[in-house]
Amino acid sequence: MTDDPLPPPSPSPVPGRTTARTAAVIPAAGRGVRLGPGAPKALRALGGTPMLIHAIRAMADSRAVSLVVVVAPPDGAAEVRTLLDAHALPDRTDFLVVPGGESRQESVKLGLDALPAGYDIVLVHDAARPLVPVDTVDAVVEAVRDGAHAVVPALPLADTVKQVEPAAGPGEPESVVATPDRSLLRAVQTPQGFDRATLVRAHETVKDNVTDDASMVEQLGLTVVTVPGHEEAFKVTRPLDLVLAEAVLARRRLNDGF
């Protein structure tokens, strides 16, 4: 792991070719208040190891990813560097830690700004999705290599979805105004993959109505495509999610020696 500027890689390949180099940006500056009091969400333990380390390993497990940029809390970069030094990470992957901003959008932008030249594909991955399988990561990278501007892993919805009028106050009933066709809806996960130039332009141009990085590319008028997501790539947001993540990790260790 290093926090010094990385040397430039070999000359930048043409986007879309299989030689394009890939970096992953992991914004990990959030507090994660819905998990309750304690350490920042990314530093909560999962199977005795911080979720952030699991998320970093998930990116580094893909042989396509040669650099992982971790965007730390603004005052916590040194702590995150120490954390990375304390855990075994793949030698073939470079790691860089930079301070983040006040919002996720700002943190991703700071991670993008820290990328050396020569990385033409960028993945943006939630630290709170620690168990995404490597096959999902590889599928996202391949879709960008095949020419997509932006790629998201996505799952069909199992539940019926209702559109409602917002309640007048907390706990008040909400009026249903529509029932969207769930066959046309998808639950989106990360890592989301991008042609680097497209993602940079999105962060320089789009400032409002941002729900994820792919939505910023949509606002540029460009097409975002999906690849199949995975049920184990869920986001750890609430205490029950952490219980489920522990169960998944225990099963992996039992069955696969993970």
Side-chain angles (χ1 to χ4, degrees):
M1 190 277 294
T2 177
D3 54 283
D4 297 322
L6 296 172
S10 55
S12 176
V14 176
R17 292 183 182 172
T18 55
T19 54
R21 292 168 62 92
T22 301
V25 175
I26 303 181
R31 294 297 305 179
V33 294
R34 284 177 287 183
L35 269 178
K41 178 166 58 177
L43 302 184
R44 300 291 181 93
L46 172 60
T49 300
M51 282 200 293
L52 175 60
I53 297 299
H54 287 288
I56 292 170
R57 287 173 176 164
M59 297 299 100
D61 280 346
S62 171
R63 301 194 70 85
V65 176
S66 54
L67 171 64
V68 176
V69 178
V70 181
V71 188
D75 58 352
E79 179 184 1
V80 171
R81 290 187 188 105
T82 300
L83 186 70
L84 267 62
D85 287 338
H87 290 81
L89 297 169
D91 291 336
R92 59 182 166 78
T93 307
D94 291 318
F95 301 93
L96 182 65
V97 178
V98 298
E102 294 301 318
S103 68
R104 184 184 186 280
Q105 184 179 5
E106 184 181 351
S107 291
V108 173
K109 176 65 163 57
L110 290 168
L112 276 174
D113 290 344
L115 286 181
Y119 290 91
D120 297 290
I121 297 173
V122 181
L123 306 181
V124 181
H125 183 57
D126 294 331
R129 296 184 191 270
L131 301 177
V132 57
V134 67
D135 288 350
T136 302
V137 181
D138 290 341
V140 171
V141 173
E142 284 304 313
V144 180
R145 284 178 171 172
D146 287 343
H149 291 290
V151 182
V152 296
L155 292 174
L157 298 183
D159 297 322
T160 297
V161 177
K162 300 291 185 183
Q163 181 181 344
V164 300
E165 288 286 352
E172 293 292 321
E174 296 176 322
S175 298
V176 172
V177 297
T179 303
D181 181 354
R182 71 180 182 189
S183 70
L184 302 178
L185 302 175
R186 298 291 182 268
V188 172
Q189 302 173 326
T190 69
Q192 298 184 354
F194 305 88
D195 166 73
R196 178 179 180 169
T198 298
L199 185 58
V200 168
R201 180 157 68 96
H203 275 271
E204 290 174 344
T205 306
V206 179
K207 304 300 180 184
D208 300 319
N209 301 317
V210 175
T211 57
D212 63 358
D213 295 276
S215 70
M216 300 171 71
V217 174
E218 291 174 48
Q219 292 188 57
L220 295 180
L222 299 175
T223 299
V224 176
V225 302
T226 69
V227 296
H230 196 282
E231 61 183 4
E232 293 181 1
F234 60 89
K235 191 172 185 178
V236 178
T237 302
R238 298 176 174 84
L240 185 59
D241 300 325
L242 193 56
V243 173
L244 179 58
E246 292 279 5
V248 171
L249 185 59
R251 189 201 66 198
R252 285 187 182 182
R253 287 173 169 170
L254 179 64
N255 295 339
D256 308 324
F258 178 80

